[in-house]
Amino acid sequence: MDKFLIKGPSTLKGEVLISGSKNAALPILASTLLFDKPVVIKNLPRVRDINTMLNLLKSLGSKIEFFDNRKKVRISKSKKPKYFASYSLLKTMRAGILVLGPLVSKCQKSITSFPGGCVLNGNSGRPINLHLNALEKIGMKYEIKKGYIYARSKGNLKGKSLKFPSISVGATQHLIMSSVLSDGKATTLKNCAIEPEVLDLTNFLKNAGANIKWIGKRTCQIIGVNSLNEISYSVMGDRIETGTFCVAATLTKGNLLIKGFDPKLIKTELDLLKKTGATIRLFKDQIHIKGPKKIKKISHIKTKEYGGFPTDCQPQFMVLMCKANGKSEITENIFKSRFMHAMELQRLGAKISIKNSKATIEGNTNFIGAEVMSSDLRASAALILAAIAAKGTSIVSRVYHCDRGYENIEKKLKKVGAKIRRVN
Ligand code: EPZ
């Protein structure tokens, strides 16, 4: 198992090129099951979850050709599509569940394993009830046996109006893609997630001829079409990788030019970084960010659906709040117990207490290098950031979590001055 050996403290300076978004690419890849004609997807990040999704598509009969150092793929449908999505492929990646709806939509049947993925919610797990209930409303029947969802539909899925009882990124994406080829009247989805990655999916599908309209802030209307057209599409830049590097610059008194991402999409995060004293200049698809001499505290961060502060940047901001000049709080509203990184940050000297979904962070921490262990993808990013800011040597283990979602993180960090090495 690989580990990162990190010597700190370092000040990060230079240019970083942001990779394509994992969380936008995964649903786009799953929705290629809806196509009869070939699809070209560009700007794919070379990360483990994308490989897993491509292997899943292969196991379902798609033919995959790679170009441009695996950043571009051409996916063509096989003559004999399969409809069995195995546990071995879904156990490490929650987004694998997104093949269920497209398979039922195209083949009228599917046997799909329950998915795995990052453990973010303690004993509450990561349920898929919102996906299954909504798919049932548009005509999917299913039963659960031995960890698998046996699903089918009588003919095409059927347009219907439904409201999600709570907002879910994955369930919104799943229902949009499953409704694109539906029969009958329009599907109207209310209380949808409107994360940029959801909009990237609708953009992709619309460019391929799907009839999708946003008719309210959180209401999406889809009118089924008979088929989708051949398309070449470039995935958006990674919002969370961009946020991670913005925190890195702020944390280390750094000076980074971050390229390949539209700054308008992370206004909430950038406004908070300005409050800490960072100097930020915005350009089209670029952010220039300089860290302050002293990091001012942010009193309270509350994670929220898009528009609000993203849960996927919460661990990285927690590191910044540890270094800031005073006490602050984080309330985690999306995954109530997503605080596994807090325990490990304490090994580096942080003072954090957790009560239910609230973390209180003491501030003024001088991190000291130590051995720490990643528990999930963004936790691993947080530990790497803290180790770069820490005095002395740290070893961050279980970096396979990081490899699921950050492309070449150690190369990108090394290029801007971090002393980081992969060892095993
Ligand atoms: C997506 O996960 C992202 N994953 C996550 O990113 C991200 O943390 C999350 O959205 C929230 O922004 C991908 O895009 C692949 P949800 P998703 O459904 O779709 C509850 C990362 O680090 N819920 O919006 O699984 C759920 O438990 C990852 O890149 C149900 O109760 O998240 C959570 O409390 C990790 N029932 C809330 O809704 C359901 O059926 C929001 O989850 C589905 C979700």
Side-chain angles (χ1 to χ4, degrees), residues 145-377:
K145 284 189 275 185
K146 297 186 176 176
Y148 279 87
I149 303 149
Y150 286 72
R152 65 198 152 76
S153 72
K154 216 173 173 189
N156 286 348
L157 292 169
K158 304 279 183 294
K160 192 81 196 267
S161 181
L162 65 95
K163 182 175 178 184
F164 292 107
S166 60
I167 297 171
S168 156
V169 174
T172 301
Q173 292 166 332
H174 206 167
L175 264 287
I176 290 173
M177 57 176 98
S178 307
S179 304
V180 158
L181 301 178
S182 62
D183 273 350
K185 56 183 180 133
T187 301
T188 307
L189 306 173
K190 296 183 186 150
N191 205 24
C192 288
I194 51 167
E195 267 62 6
E197 295 77 15
V198 176
L199 303 190
D200 208 34
L201 172 70
T202 52
N203 233 351
F204 163 70
L205 292 169
K206 274 160 76 170
N207 280 326
N211 187 343
I212 305 173
K213 269 193 211 124
W214 288 92
I215 56 171
K217 186 178 172 203
R218 291 194 178 273
T219 305
C220 182
Q221 190 186 65
I222 303 126
I223 298 173
V225 294
N226 288 333
S227 63
L228 296 168
N229 306 324
E230 197 164 338
I231 182 178
S232 172
Y233 190 80
S234 189
V235 173
M236 67 179 282
D238 196 304
R239 183 163 66 101
I240 309 303
E241 187 193 19
T242 307
T244 305
F245 276 99
C246 287
V247 171
T250 310
L251 181 73
T252 64
K253 301 191 188 102
N255 185 345
L256 291 181
L257 183 63
I258 298 169
K259 293 179 160 181
F261 187 78
D262 176 0
K264 286 198 286 300
L265 299 177
I266 56 165
K267 185 175 178 320
T268 307
E269 297 89 309
L270 293 176
D271 284 349
L272 284 173
L273 292 172
K274 275 184 202 155
K275 278 193 188 164
T276 69
T279 311
I280 299 177
R281 287 196 301 152
L282 304 181
F283 305 92
K284 188 175 177 284
D285 293 333
Q286 288 189 19
I287 301 167
H288 179 206
I289 178 160
K290 276 191 197 174
K293 286 212 172 72
K294 264 211 169 304
I295 301 164
K296 290 188 211 137
K297 69 169 186 176
I298 307 168
S299 306
H300 199 164
I301 287 182
K302 297 176 187 174
T303 64
K304 219 176 170 317
E305 293 86 7
Y306 188 68
F309 183 85
T311 173
D312 291 347
C313 275
Q314 179 261 104
Q316 301 87 316
F317 270 70
M318 182 182 274
V319 176
L320 197 59
M321 290 155 99
C322 289
K323 282 283 283 177
N325 70 349
K327 202 180 209 171
S328 50
E329 287 178 344
I330 296 179
T331 305
E332 177 51 70
N333 292 312
I334 305 294
F335 297 106
K336 301 267 181 206
S337 48
R338 187 182 199 171
F339 284 130
M340 307 264 272
H341 44 282
M343 307 307 138
E344 295 302 297
L345 288 174
Q346 296 193 28
R347 300 171 64 80
L348 296 162
K351 293 186 194 71
I352 302 166
S353 57
I354 311 279
K355 201 165 176 210
N356 303 322
S357 56
K358 191 188 273 185
T360 305
I361 301 130
E362 282 307 321
N364 294 310
T365 296
N366 288 318
F367 288 117
I368 305 288
E371 280 189 48
V372 288
M373 189 170 77
S374 314
S375 54
D376 60 77
L377 169 58

